[in-house]
Amino acid sequence: MALVTIDNPILNSPYREPTRHFRLDADNQVTSTIDGGRRGSSYFLPIAAPKKRGTPGLFDEVEEKKTDSGYVNRIRQLVQHWRGLGWPDITPVTRALLEHWHADDRFRPLFFCQQEALETFVFITEVAKLTKYGHDWIDKHLREKAEEAGTDLFRVACKMATGSGKTVVMSMLIAWQVLNKCRYAHDNRFTDAFLIVAPGITVRDRLRVLLPSDPNNYYKELDIVPTEFRGDLGTAKIVVTNFHAFMLREKGDAGGLTKRVLTANTPGAFTESRDEMVNRVCNDLGKHREIMVINDEAHHCYRGKPEAVKEKMTREEAGEAKERAEEARLWISGLEAVHQKIGVKAVFDLSATPFYLKGSGYPEGTLFPWVVSDFSLMDAIECGIVKVPRVPIADNAMTGDYPKYRNLWVEIREGLKDVRRGPETAHKPPLLPGLLDGALQSLYEHYARKFVEWEADEESRANGSTPPVFIVVCNNTNVSKAVFDHIAGYETEHYHAEGEPVVAPGALALFSNVKNQRWLHRPNTILVDSRQLESGESMSDDFKKLAAIQIGDFKAEYRRRFPGRDTQKLTDEDLTREVLNTVGKPGKLGEHIRCVVSVSMLTEGWDCNTVTHILGVRAFGTRLLCEQVMGRGLRRRSYTVGDDGLLTPEYADIYGVPFSGFPVAGLPEKRAPATTKPGKSVRAIPERLIDSPWLEVTFPRVSGYRFDIPAERLTATFDKSHREILTTQDIPTRTLNAPIFGEKAELTLEEAKGLRPQTVAFMLATHLQQHHFPDRPWLFPQLLGIVRDWLGDPDGNSPNVDYGDDTFPGLLVFGQKKSAVCEKVARAIIAASGGARQLRAELPASDFLGTTAGVSFDTIKDCWTTDPAKCHFNLMPQDSDWETIVGSKLEEMDEVRAYAKNQGIGFRIPYTCDGRPGNYYPDLIVKIDDGHGATDLLNVILEVSGQKKKEKDAKVQTTKTMWVPGVNNLGTFGRWAFLEIDGSNLHKTKQEIRKLLKGGA
C-alpha cells in the first residue's frame, strides 16, 4: 500500500480560524492534497471487520466508519455567523471580556480554539434562546440527550485536543460567569460558585491555577481578566476536587470488629449518607445554590446502559472496562447527589476524547451527544498547537501493509503472555520478545541522538532546559516490571563485600539506573502505576515490592533537597507522584528523569512538554485509545511563531501506537526529519538583584485616567495636533449602485449635508460630555462653547477642520470621525485647564504593580546578550536591528542604571483612537540617574518610531499627555517621562536621552 509523506503538516495559524486542511481519502487516510476551508467535525466508530478481507487494518478485528458530527457543525456555523456580526445581544461585561480575549495587541494571545470554545458557551447561554434567533432547539437537544443518557443534569461539552489549553478555557469560563454575576446579581444565567472535578490528584493539583487566590492564577498570569476587573474575582467560591471524593467514607472511631457487630442489623450505620458526602465535598461553597460544575477530562463521567448484546472482550479488556464503568458511575452519581442537595445550574465538560468507551453499553467511540464544540487532534496538528506524532511508515522487514513497529502489540502479545518478574525470576535477565527488544533499541537510538543535541546546547541547559523524555506504556504490572528491569537494571543473586547486591546495568545506557554495579542515588528511569497514583489510594503491596529501590532513592533525594523536612509524613505514593508530576520541570524532584515506564495509561493532565519518544506495549482497539496515549507526549515546548505567522513543527516519535493520522516521516527510516530545537529562554536573573536591586523594573498597571475638574471655567487651546481633515476617502458622499440590467441609482448623504453647524456642534458636544465627562452633565454649556470654537465657520474661517472636495460639517458626526474629534477636543481641554496638575491615573484595586521579577519565556528570535550590570534579563529579543543598536548605546551610558525591553512583562498603556479602546505596548523602560540619586531614578518610557501613523500618534499623545502626568501626580510610583526617537536617528540615541534630561525633549 503506497503511503504519502507530508513534510510539514502545519497549515494554519493557531490564533486564527483554520482556513485549510488535508483531504482524507476513501479509507479515511490523510492525503497530501490541501483543501480550502475548515475541516468539518467528525469522529470514527469502530465496526466489526469482515471475516475475509484483502489487507489487515491497524486495529485488531475492527474497522472504522467516519461519522459526521451534525449538531456540532451546525452550531459551529451559527457561532461563526454570530461572531461575524460582532457578538450582538450579550451583556456589556461579556463583550468587554470577548474584546479583551480577541485583542490584537495581547502579549499572550489566545488560541482560536480557546476563543471558539468560550464563544460557543456564551452563544448557547446568552443568545441562542432569544426569540429573534430562534435557536432554542440547542437547549432542547441538550436536555433531551441528557435524559436519554439517564441523568437530569444539563450537560454541555467541549472537545479540545490534548495540549490545546483546556485549563485556560476553564479560567475564561469562570471569569465570564463571575464577572457577570457580580454586576447582574439577579440574572440566573450566571453564578459565582463552582465545583471543578478532575479525574485524579495530578489534574486536581494542577487546577489550583483556577483559584483567584493562587499566586500563579491564570486570570493574572495569562491576562484572562483585565486588570480593572480582577478584584471582582474575589466574590467567587471555587472548590477543586477529584471524583474519588464522591466515594462514601466510613465515619466514627470504632474499630473494624466493633463496626461489624454494631451494623449486623443496620448496615451502613458507619458510612456517610449521600447528603453528608455532598456537605463534605461542597463545604467551601457555603450556602450557595444552583452552582456550576466543570468536569475536566469528562470522558470519565457518564452512566452506562445495559448491553443488548454481550460485547466480546478479552479478560484483560473486561477488567479494564469494569474499572472504567465503576469510576464513571461514581463520578456521575456524585454529581447527581450534588444536584439533588444544592442544585446544579449546568455541567460544562471539557475533554480531548469525550467518547463512550468499551463496556459502556454504547458503541465504543460514540461521541457524547452533548458536545457542542470540537477542535480535534487533526485540527490541532494542522494549526501547530501540538507536537506532530511521527509513526513508522516503512521498514525493511514489512511483510504486511504496515511496518511491524507501528502495530507492535499484534506482533508481540503472544510472547508477553509468559513474562513474569516474581521472586524466582527477579534476579535473572528479563526475557522480552525479540521484536519488543528491537523496538526499544531502535527508538532509543533516535532518542540518544536527541539527548546528545540537548547536552551540547549549553546555553539552553543553563537556562533550565531538562533532558528529553522517553515513555513506555505497558498493559500490566508484570510486563512493565520486565521492561523496567531491561531498561534500568536489576539486582543479581550476587553481593558486594559490604553486603550490597550486585546490580546488572540496564540495556539502554542513558536510561540505566546503575553505575559500577550499584544503584544510582538519582535514577534516570522510573516505574509508575498511573491508575493507583491518581486515585489517591495506596499502591498495591506487589507494586511497592517491585519499586522498593526507587522509592527509597526518592526519599533519600528528597532529604538531600529539603533538609529538615520530615519524610516520615510522606507516603511512598506522595513521593512517586511528586517525581512523576515534575518530570521535565527544572529545579524539581523529577527534573533529571529521562524515561518513564508506566502500568496502564499515563495520567491525563500530565503536562510534561519534553516528551520526544513514546512506545506502546499494549492493545489499541480504536484510535480513541491511540489519542489518549499519544496525548501524553504532544505538549509543545515553544509557542513562538515564525515570520509567516505559523508555529515551527515539533515532533514526537512513536512506536506501537497505531495512529492512522498524519503520515509524517518517522522511524525507522535512515534519517528522520530533525526535531526543531527549542527557542532561547529569556528570563529574569534573580542573582543580579543581590548587588544591584535597581535592575528590577516596576511599573503601575494603569487601567484608565481621571481628570479632576478645576473650580474655574473650562478652556481649550487648539494647535495643529487638534486639526481634523475631511475627505471622501473616509466617508464617500456619493455612491452609484447598478444592476446587471436596468436603471442605475445614485445614493448620497443629503440629510447629513443639510445639518447646520450649530446642530453639528451640539451633537459633538453631547458625545464629548457623555464619553469624556460622563459624571459632570452640568459642564455641557461650556463644552458646547468650546466645540463651537473648534468648529469655527465652515463657510469662512475654520482653522481646525480641513474640508476636502464634496465634504461638509455633517460628516463630523459619523462614527469614528465623531470619536476622533471629541478625543482631540478633550485633550485640548485637559492641556489648557490645569492639564498635568489635574490628571490622575486610575489603578485596579489589586495587582496594580507590574515587575520584571519572575519573567520567563521562550523565543526563536535572535537575542542581544545583556550586560549583567544594566539589565535584569539575560537576553533581549530582537524584532529588528534597532534593539542591538539601542541596547549597546544604553549600556554605554553611565547615566543609564537599568533597562528592560517591554516583552513578557505586560507593561501597557490604555488609549483610544477614533473611539476604539486599545492598549499600547512601548518598546523599553529605561531607569536613568538624572541627578536625584540612586533611590530616585527617572523612569523613561522609550519608543523607537518608524513611519508615522494616526494610531501611533494617538498612542504617543496619550502617553505624553495622560499616562505620564497621571502617574506622576499619584506620587507613589517614582518619576516618569516619555521619549520618542525616530528610527532613522538611532545614531543620536545618546544625544536624545541627554536632551530629555536637560529639559529639551
Side-chain angles (χ1 to χ4, degrees):
M1 181 173 61
L3 291 174
V4 298
T5 301
I6 297 171
D7 293 328
N8 182 356
I10 299 179
L11 300 176
N12 304 299
S13 165
Y15 306 114
R16 299 287 183 267
E17 184 170 12
T19 58
R20 300 186 296 166
H21 66 277
F22 289 101
R23 182 185 301 172
L24 299 182
D25 63 18
D27 295 322
N28 298 320
Q29 301 297 309
V30 176
T31 70
S32 58
T33 303
I34 299 174
D35 287 336
R38 185 173 177 185
R39 181 185 301 281
S41 174
S42 62
Y43 59 99
F44 294 86
L45 277 176
I47 58 176
K51 292 183 178 180
K52 293 183 179 181
R53 53 185 180 185
T55 58
L58 275 176
F59 302 124
D60 194 22
E61 298 182 355
V62 296
E63 292 180 351
E64 291 187 314
K65 175 185 177 184
K66 181 171 176 282
T67 304
D68 289 332
S69 309
Y71 284 104
V72 175
N73 287 318
R74 185 178 176 189
I75 293 172
R76 176 188 288 176
Q77 291 174 355
L78 294 175
V79 172
Q80 183 186 48
H81 177 70
W82 171 69
R83 182 192 307 124
L85 296 176
W87 311 302
D89 299 301
I90 55 177
T91 72
V93 169
T94 302
R95 177 169 298 282
L97 287 173
L98 289 174
E99 290 175 348
H100 178 68
W101 296 331
H102 284 76
D104 292 332
D105 54 7
R106 287 181 62 89
F107 168 66
R108 294 179 182 271
L110 299 175
F111 294 147
F112 168 78
C113 60
Q114 295 168 334
Q115 296 170 344
E116 182 183 52
L118 212 288
E119 286 174 331
T120 304
F121 291 157
V122 170
F123 179 79
I124 291 172
T125 303
E126 297 192 36
V127 180
K129 289 186 286 188
L130 297 176
T131 304
K132 64 186 291 186
Y133 291 98
H135 299 312
D136 55 347
W137 63 265
I138 300 176
D139 185 89
K140 294 176 182 177
H141 167 76
L142 293 173
R143 295 188 186 280
E144 288 173 0
K145 294 304 176 183
E147 184 177 353
E148 290 174 8
T151 182
D152 56 354
L153 293 167
F154 180 73
R155 300 183 69 175
V156 184
C158 175
K159 179 173 176 281
M160 294 180 67
T162 294
S164 60
K166 293 187 291 294
T167 307
V168 174
V169 174
M170 292 183 210
S171 69
M172 298 165 73
L173 175 58
I174 291 171
W176 162 57
Q177 284 283 313
V178 172
L179 297 182
N180 271 292
K181 191 65 175 180
C182 189
R183 284 159 178 76
Y184 317 114
H186 299 294
D187 193 329
N188 63 9
R189 295 176 298 178
F190 306 111
T191 184
D192 54 7
F194 302 85
L195 176 63
I196 303 173
V197 188
I201 295 174
T202 297
V203 182
R204 182 199 66 186
D205 293 345
R206 185 169 55 81
L207 294 180
R208 287 192 59 82
V209 294
L210 299 176
L211 302 177
S213 59
D214 189 86
N216 299 314
N217 73 78
Y218 276 8
Y219 313 106
K220 173 184 173 183
E221 290 293 307
L222 302 184
D223 194 25
I224 297 301
V225 175
T227 308
E228 59 271 23
F229 289 157
R230 288 177 193 162
D232 295 336
L233 291 172
T235 62
K237 295 289 185 181
I238 302 174
V239 168
V240 183
T241 189
N242 52 311
F243 77 89
H244 308 87
F246 294 141
M247 293 181 67
L248 303 183
R249 297 179 179 176
E250 292 293 306
K251 58 183 181 178
D253 298 327
L257 177 60
T258 303
K259 288 183 178 180
R260 285 195 295 272
V261 172
L262 294 176
T263 58
N265 297 317
T266 55
F270 286 93
T271 304
E272 282 182 322
S273 68
R274 284 163 58 91
D275 284 355
E276 287 173 329
M277 178 274 291
V278 173
N279 289 337
R280 168 174 53 81
V281 172
C282 301
N283 180 62
D284 289 343
L285 296 181
K287 297 182 179 179
H288 281 74
R289 296 292 183 269
E290 292 299 308
I291 67 170
M292 178 174 288
V293 172
I294 301 176
N295 284 333
D296 194 9
E297 306 296 352
H299 54 273
H300 293 280
C301 179
Y302 59 83
R303 173 167 283 107
K305 69 176 182 179
E307 299 176 82
V309 179
K310 190 69 174 178
E311 191 170 0
K312 182 181 178 182
M313 288 185 278
T314 65
R315 185 174 64 179
E316 203 164 87
E317 288 175 333
E320 288 185 356
K322 183 179 179 182
E323 286 187 23
R324 286 196 302 262
E326 290 173 352
E327 291 174 348
R329 185 164 52 250
L330 173 62
W331 193 330
I332 189 71
S333 298
L335 292 183
E336 288 171 341
V338 173
H339 184 36
Q340 292 165 8
K341 175 71 173 175
I342 63 176
V344 172
K345 187 182 298 293
V347 178
F348 285 93
D349 294 332
L350 290 105
S351 172
T353 53
F355 303 101
Y356 287 110
L357 301 177
K358 182 172 287 190
S360 65
Y362 295 88
E364 181 180 13
T366 301
L367 189 72
F368 286 173
W370 50 87
V371 171
V372 297
S373 175
D374 178 15
F375 198 82
S376 69
L377 178 59
M378 304 280 267
D379 297 324
I381 292 173
E382 289 170 334
C383 291
I385 290 175
V386 297
K387 288 177 182 170
V388 181
R390 292 193 296 213
V391 299
I393 61 170
D395 63 19
N396 55 6
M398 193 165 69
T399 57
D401 287 284
Y402 298 99
K404 290 183 179 296
Y405 290 160
R406 190 172 185 186
N407 198 16
L408 184 63
W409 179 253
V410 173
E411 306 287 343
I412 65 174
R413 58 185 172 189
E414 291 300 320
L416 288 175
K417 286 183 177 180
D418 297 325
V419 169
R420 296 287 183 273
R421 293 305 279 172
E424 68 283 357
T425 57
H427 302 301
K428 298 177 182 179
L431 297 177
L432 300 180
L435 200 60
L436 175 55
D437 193 355
L440 279 165
Q441 186 64 41
S442 173
L443 201 57
Y444 168 77
E445 288 179 6
H446 187 263
Y447 171 92
R449 295 201 294 272
K450 298 304 170 189
F451 184 87
V452 170
E453 291 176 8
W454 167 80
E455 203 168 34
D457 191 348
E458 295 182 3
E459 181 184 355
S460 178
R461 289 193 291 115
N463 287 323
S465 175
T466 58
V469 175
F470 186 116
I471 62 177
V472 185
V473 180
C474 300
N475 62 321
N476 63 39
T477 301
N478 276 315
V479 171
S480 67
K481 177 58 174 170
V483 171
F484 176 79
D485 287 354
H486 176 81
I487 288 174
Y490 61 93
E491 293 182 358
T492 69
E493 296 174 325
H494 306 289
Y495 293 87
H496 293 285
E498 70 278 12
E500 287 190 5
V502 173
V503 186
L508 308 181
L510 292 174
F511 300 157
S512 178
N513 290 341
V514 181
K515 184 177 182 180
N516 298 327
Q517 296 184 325
R518 301 177 191 271
W519 291 115
L520 291 171
H521 291 301
R522 177 181 288 167
N524 296 312
T525 299
I526 60 173
L527 173 65
V528 297
D529 187 323
S530 306
R531 189 178 295 277
Q532 290 181 352
L533 285 179
E534 283 309 292
S535 68
E537 299 174 354
S538 296
M539 290 188 291
S540 67
D541 290 338
D542 288 342
F543 187 84
K544 285 186 179 182
K545 290 177 183 177
L546 295 174
I549 300 296
Q550 68 179 98
I551 290 172
D553 288 341
F554 293 159
K555 288 186 176 180
E557 175 73 5
Y558 189 86
R559 283 191 291 269
R560 281 193 292 271
R561 285 186 177 242
F562 309 108
R565 293 192 186 179
D566 186 3
T567 57
Q568 299 303 315
K569 294 182 179 179
L570 290 169
T571 65
D572 296 339
E573 293 81 9
D574 290 335
L575 283 170
T576 307
R577 189 181 298 114
E578 174 65 15
V579 174
L580 175 64
N581 292 346
T582 57
V583 171
K585 293 179 171 55
K588 301 293 186 179
L589 209 56
E591 68 174 326
H592 298 289
I593 298 300
R594 302 171 187 174
C595 180
V596 179
V597 180
S598 170
V599 185
S600 184
M601 306 241 180
L602 273 171
T603 130
E604 297 101 341
W606 190 59
D607 60 352
C608 176
N609 63 4
T610 55
V611 174
T612 55
H613 298 76
I614 300 174
L615 177 63
V617 188
R618 60 156 295 149
F620 291 92
T622 63
R623 73 176 63 213
L624 169 59
L625 295 179
C626 295
E627 287 193 25
Q628 289 179 333
V629 171
M630 284 197 315
R632 311 286 65 82
L634 297 187
R635 295 183 186 274
R636 290 182 61 101
R637 298 193 67 179
S638 173
Y639 293 92
T640 305
V641 297
D643 294 336
D644 57 0
L646 305 182
L647 291 169
T648 305
E650 294 183 11
Y651 298 95
D653 286 288
I654 302 169
Y655 279 3
V657 182
F659 175 66
S660 54
F662 285 95
V664 177
L667 297 173
E669 297 176 2
K670 292 182 179 179
R671 181 177 180 86
T675 301
T676 303
K677 179 180 174 181
K680 296 180 177 66
S681 177
V682 180
R683 60 192 180 99
I685 309 298
E687 293 78 11
R688 293 186 179 183
L689 301 184
I690 296 175
D691 297 320
S692 307
W694 55 82
L695 292 180
E696 180 183 1
V697 175
T698 61
F699 53 90
R701 299 186 189 275
V702 174
S703 58
Y705 312 97
R706 184 181 74 254
F707 181 59
D708 294 333
I709 300 298
E712 58 271 19
R713 287 181 57 82
L714 294 179
T715 59
T717 302
F718 303 113
D719 57 32
K720 62 180 181 180
S721 69
H722 305 116
R723 186 172 177 80
E724 188 67 28
I725 298 175
L726 278 180
T727 73
T728 53
Q729 291 180 347
D730 296 324
I731 306 175
T733 56
R734 287 201 309 271
T735 304
L736 185 66
N737 276 14
I740 298 177
F741 302 103
E743 185 180 357
K744 300 177 182 179
E746 184 178 59
L747 285 70
T748 63
L749 296 175
E750 288 299 325
E751 184 175 343
K753 188 175 182 178
L755 292 176
R756 296 182 301 167
Q758 297 93 321
T759 304
V760 172
F762 187 91
M763 296 171 73
L764 290 174
T766 301
H767 185 87
L768 180 64
Q769 185 271 313
Q770 291 177 345
H771 290 80
H772 294 271
F773 305 91
D775 54 345
R776 299 174 176 87
W778 60 85
L779 293 177
F780 180 79
Q782 295 186 58
L783 296 175
L784 179 59
I786 291 172
V787 171
R788 285 173 175 167
D789 292 342
W790 177 86
L791 187 61
D793 181 4
D795 297 324
N797 184 24
S798 182
N800 300 311
V801 186
D802 185 354
Y803 292 96
D805 292 341
D806 299 320
T807 64
F808 37 83
L811 297 180
L812 294 171
V813 302
F814 281 85
Q816 294 181 352
K817 186 64 69 175
K818 176 169 60 177
S819 297
V821 167
C822 290
E823 287 166 14
K824 294 179 178 180
V825 174
R827 283 204 298 268
I829 293 172
I830 291 172
S833 302
R837 298 188 305 276
Q838 306 298 334
L839 199 62
R840 297 287 187 276
E842 292 188 323
L843 306 175
S846 60
D847 190 29
F848 54 77
L849 187 68
T851 176
T852 53
V855 170
S856 178
F857 59 90
D858 291 337
T859 179
I860 61 173
K861 299 175 183 176
D862 292 334
C863 291
W864 162 269
T865 300
T866 63
D867 183 347
K870 294 283 189 178
C871 188
H872 196 180
F873 296 144
N874 60 333
L875 302 170
M876 180 168 72
Q878 294 179 254
D879 293 299
S880 59
D881 292 336
W882 72 258
E883 284 96 344
T884 303
I885 299 172
V886 174
S888 62
K889 290 182 178 293
L890 291 177
E891 292 186 353
E892 291 169 1
M893 296 182 68
D894 294 335
E895 304 98 312
V896 173
R897 303 301 301 276
Y899 71 91
K901 185 180 180 183
N902 184 24
Q903 182 171 348
I905 64 177
F907 175 48
R908 61 188 183 188
I909 294 175
Y911 75 100
T912 57
C913 180
D914 294 345
R916 292 179 287 105
N919 289 302
Y920 164 41
Y921 293 86
D923 292 324
L924 294 159
I925 299 178
V926 186
K927 298 174 75 170
I928 299 178
D929 187 347
D930 60 343
H932 289 72
T935 60
D936 188 18
L937 300 175
L938 178 66
N939 299 282
V940 177
I941 301 170
L942 183 62
E943 177 69 19
V944 178
S945 294
Q947 184 178 0
K948 291 289 184 182
K949 295 181 180 179
K950 179 173 66 173
E951 190 158 349
K952 183 59 174 291
D953 183 61
K955 296 175 180 178
V956 169
Q957 289 299 318
T958 299
T959 305
K960 292 170 65 173
T961 64
M962 301 184 76
W963 195 96
V964 169
V967 170
N968 285 338
N969 287 340
L970 294 177
T972 53
F973 298 98
R975 296 177 298 116
W976 290 78
F978 176 78
L979 176 62
E980 183 180 19
I981 299 178
D982 192 301
S984 62
N985 287 329
L986 293 182
H987 60 291
K988 295 183 178 181
T989 296
K990 295 180 182 179
Q991 297 177 40
E992 293 292 332
I993 292 176
R994 286 168 179 151
K995 182 180 177 182
L996 170 71
L997 299 182
K998 292 178 181 179

